[in-house]
Amino acid sequence: MKARFRRALAAGLLTVLAVGGAGGWAAADGQRAVTGPPPGTAAWVADTTLGVRLPEPGRASAAEVAGFFDGLPPAQQRALAVRHPLVVGNLDGAPYRLRYLANSLALQEERQHELARAADPALPERDRKAAAARAARYAELGSGRQILAFDPRGRGQYAQMFGELEQAERTVVVVPGSDIDLMTGDRASAHYGTPGGAAEALRAASGERLAVVAWTGYTTPVKVGLDAAGSRLAEAGAARLSAFLDGLTPVTGPVTLVCHSYGTAVCGLADPKPEQVRGVVALGSPGMDVAGADGLRVPLWVVKRNAEDWIDKVPNVSLFGLGHGADPDQPSYGARLVSSTGSHGHSGYLVPGTASLANTTAIALGEDARVDCAADSPACRSAAATATA
């Protein structure tokens, strides 16, 4: 008994040391997850202009929200978006084009607020510079982009649609890992490791047959530390992802989730429903907080880690609240393992020209027969053979 405990303790400590050594402890550990209804909810609930009770964010289901808006003429829908842009823009189940409009208006309003802060001499210079940077980012996001969600709280969250839903054959939702927020969702550094860069790559690789949502919709860990080693933020993110899918998939049909790094734990904990999700593709996973592929109700495809991915140094354990469990990259996990030839590093799996991008695109399009399976994956070869037959 004591020996087993010592081994468990050693493994737990090894997790901490490896995670810390992989990227350095984050000074911002203890990130506060953004949860609950969007800003402006109190004014929305109190609004009686239409003479009816408005669906309460966080309580009304996406189906109830959709039914409510279906019963309103376009002019009244638009009027609600103008009066309550932050609520309508984040209201799962609201018409997606109305959400584009609402978020455009919300970005304009928040930009003006940040510009005022940037010009306020009473604020420290650091705060004024941060406000100016956010104002510039809000202007960028509001310049004709299709923004499905925008929440300025905390480090900021947003979701951007790439492509047109009416023209796309299928839809993908990209779920990111650590260090991604409103300011970094399509950053130039390691661009294809961001949700925005991944969306661009998948769209292009599919010949624009895919519509892709870059979903920066939860509070991610900052750098690598205790937040990244634990599941607290992933659990909060999983709830937000599930709610987002409740509103999206009645329009798109079942989607493919493409999940990177810590985002694979978010996707695992979301327990995606077959009627909403065709399958999950995991890239650079530290573990999914799911014991094995059979713990998911949908097919799990895992892109084999490349030799330069530092995530390989993180022990696959779950002890004392640290670690994300078994390694999805191992054949024993039961996932469909696919090749990542040509990829380099933790953020390089969806770089154009890589086998991992080609495989992820084929999976999202439902073209399993085109997938290049990893050598040690009978589950992948069986799926490809079934598709060929």
Side-chain angles (χ1 to χ4, degrees), residues 32-104:
R32 185 174 181 178
V34 171
T35 59
T41 292
W44 165 270
V45 171
D47 190 334
T48 58
T49 353
L50 298 182
V52 295
R53 187 181 182 85
L54 304 183
E56 187 172 346
R59 292 184 178 273
S61 69
E64 290 169 335
V65 171
F68 170 78
F69 278 100
D70 283 346
L72 295 181
Q76 289 185 346
Q77 292 184 13
R78 184 182 176 90
L80 284 175
V82 170
R83 284 201 301 277
H84 307 283
L86 275 171
V87 173
V88 175
N90 291 288
L91 198 55
D92 295 312
Y96 70 93
R97 290 198 178 278
L98 189 67
R99 291 178 72 167
Y100 294 163
L101 169 64
N103 286 313
S104 173

Side-chain angles (χ1 to χ4, degrees), residues 148-189:
L148 265 174
F150 163 62
D151 191 331
R153 292 178 294 174
R155 287 158 42 218
Q157 300 176 7
Y158 76 107
Q160 180 177 350
M161 173 67 75
F162 289 76
E164 295 293 339
L165 288 180
E166 296 90 343
Q167 300 169 10
E169 293 180 23
R170 292 191 176 189
T171 303
V172 171
V173 177
V174 178
V175 180
S178 298
D179 296 319
I180 299 296
D181 53 35
L182 185 140
M183 300 296 289
T184 61
D186 54 6
R187 66 190 176 204
S189 172

Side-chain angles (χ1 to χ4, degrees), residues 268 271-272 280 288-302 326-337 379:
D271 189 22
V280 174
M288 299 184 67
D289 285 308
V290 177
D294 58 1
L296 291 177
R297 293 182 282 175
V298 300
L300 173 63
W301 304 79
V302 173
D327 186 358
D329 195 74
Q330 297 302 309
S332 58
Y333 197 80
R336 302 171 181 183
L337 303 177

